[in-house]
């Protein structure tokens, strides 16, 4: 799979030490929109291989603390991390997310 699952125990080492910008999809197993978005995130990961590194965080147990740290009020929520800097991708839908990632490189 081109998208790795991470949690609170390895979040900092995977995201903050990554040489590429990271796209992190925060989701919940019980979220229908998250279930619909997941294969689309995998498709984006294949399209942007070498430009972004993609990760999933499922909001369960200890990993729910990450939602608190980043003020996530609902899922699905997608962030782009570049080192310790991060920004939220508004309206996490396939077409919009792809456009947002394209625009990210044109800055």
């Amino acid at each position: 799979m081109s998208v790795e699952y991470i949690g609170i125990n390895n979040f900092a080492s995977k995201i903050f030490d990554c040489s590429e910008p990271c796209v992190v999809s925060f989701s919940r197993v019980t979220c229908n929109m998250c279930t619909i978005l997941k294969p689309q995130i995998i498709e984006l990961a294949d399209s942007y291989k070498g430009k972004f590194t993609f990760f999933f965080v499922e909001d369960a147990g200890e990993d729910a603390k990450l939602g608190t740290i980043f003020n996530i009020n609902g899922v699905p929520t997608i962030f782009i991390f570049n080192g310790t800097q991060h920004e939220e991708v508004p309206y996490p839908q396939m077409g919009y997310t792809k456009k947002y990632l394209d625009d990210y490189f044109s800055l």
Side-chain angles (χ1 to χ4, degrees), residues 2 18-21 44-54 105:
S2 54
C18 191
S19 61
E20 299 172 340
L44 287 172
D46 292 338
S47 296
Y48 288 98
K49 191 173 191 166
K51 294 182 179 180
F52 286 101
T53 301
F54 284 74
F105 280 107

Side-chain angles (χ1 to χ4, degrees), residues 3 5-6 8 19 25 30-32 37 41 50 54-55 63 66 73-74 78 82 89-90 94 96-97 103 105 107:
V3 182
Y5 284 87
I6 59 173
I8 197 160
S19 61
S25 176
T30 57
C31 167
N32 288 335
L37 190 61
I41 295 295
F54 284 74
F55 297 96
D63 297 335
L66 288 170
N73 296 317
I78 300 172
N82 198 350
V89 177
M94 179 60 169
Y96 189 82
T97 301
D103 290 347
F105 280 107
L107 295 177

Side-chain angles (χ1 to χ4, degrees), residues 6-70:
I6 59 173
I8 197 160
N9 294 329
N10 62 348
F11 188 88
S13 65
K14 291 287 186 174
I15 301 301
F16 301 138
D17 296 337
C18 191
S19 61
E20 299 172 340
C22 298
V23 177
V24 181
S25 176
F26 292 86
S27 63
R28 188 172 292 119
V29 175
T30 57
C31 167
N32 288 335
M33 184 61 189
C34 299
T35 303
I36 292 168
L37 190 61
K38 186 176 282 187
Q40 296 173 358
I41 295 295
I42 293 168
E43 182 180 322
L44 287 172
D46 292 338
S47 296
Y48 288 98
K49 191 173 191 166
K51 294 182 179 180
F52 286 101
T53 301
F54 284 74
F55 297 96
F56 285 127
V57 174
E58 289 193 347
D59 190 12
E62 288 294 309
D63 297 335
K65 292 178 183 175
L66 288 170
T68 303
I69 292 168
F70 294 106

